[in-house]
Amino acid sequence: QVQLVESGGNLVQAGGSLRLSCTVSRSIFSIAAMAWYRQAPGKERELVATITRIGGSTSYADSVKGRFTISRDNAENSVYLQMNSLKPEDTAVYYCNRLLTQVQYQYYYWGQGTQVTVSS
């Protein structure tokens, strides 16, 4: 059974910080690079950050580089997103999943996401 459970979203003022967590079913976590995505109202889902399964190499969208940090705990089947210096344009529903191409988005299960709202 596929499990993706995101948490940690909240309402925060600009400049603040949040830490998102995602619990992932072992069947996905043990074989996949993981990623965080976000979708703002009226916009397409976008890739925010990625982390490899072995070695923990990371990559970030230019819009969050230097502010967000992705990490994973292989013992806990969890992936995290530390978000600092938040901006109103970071407001979105955040999702975690295996690393997918945009074409693959529609074919894979997604969790409910967690809402992040940044006020100015």
Side-chain angles (χ1 to χ4, degrees):
Q1 182 176 355
V2 175
Q3 179 188 37
L4 294 163
V5 181
E6 301 91 348
S7 63
N10 211 331
L11 170 64
V12 63
Q13 288 189 332
S17 297
L18 286 173
R19 185 174 188 250
L20 307 184
S21 300
C22 179
T23 301
V24 185
S25 53
R26 184 69 182 166
S27 60
I28 297 175
F29 198 83
S30 63
I31 63 172
M34 296 299 300
W36 282 96
Y37 306 79
R38 68 185 180 186
Q39 188 166 18
K43 294 188 177 181
E44 293 186 347
R45 190 165 298 182
E46 63 171 340
L47 178 64
V48 174
T50 71
I51 186 166
T52 58
R53 181 174 67 90
I54 298 175
S57 296
T58 59
S59 66
Y60 300 92
D62 287 343
S63 58
V64 306
K65 202 171 292 183
R67 300 187 297 121
F68 289 11
T69 303
I70 187 172
S71 61
R72 62 190 291 164
D73 185 333
N74 290 339
E76 297 293 328
N77 294 339
S78 295
V79 61
Y80 306 97
L81 188 67
Q82 177 67 43
M83 306 187 297
N84 299 327
S85 303
L86 283 161
K87 304 176 181 180
E89 51 263 43
D90 294 319
T91 295
V93 179
Y94 284 72
Y95 303 87
C96 73
N97 212 325
R98 71 185 75 196
L99 180 58
L100 300 168
T101 65
Q102 280 188 315
V103 172
Q104 293 175 312
Y105 288 178
Q106 61 184 314
Y107 299 113
Y108 284 81
Y109 170 81
W110 294 84
Q112 83 287 351
T114 187
Q115 176 71 49
V116 172
T117 303
V118 185
S119 63
S120 57

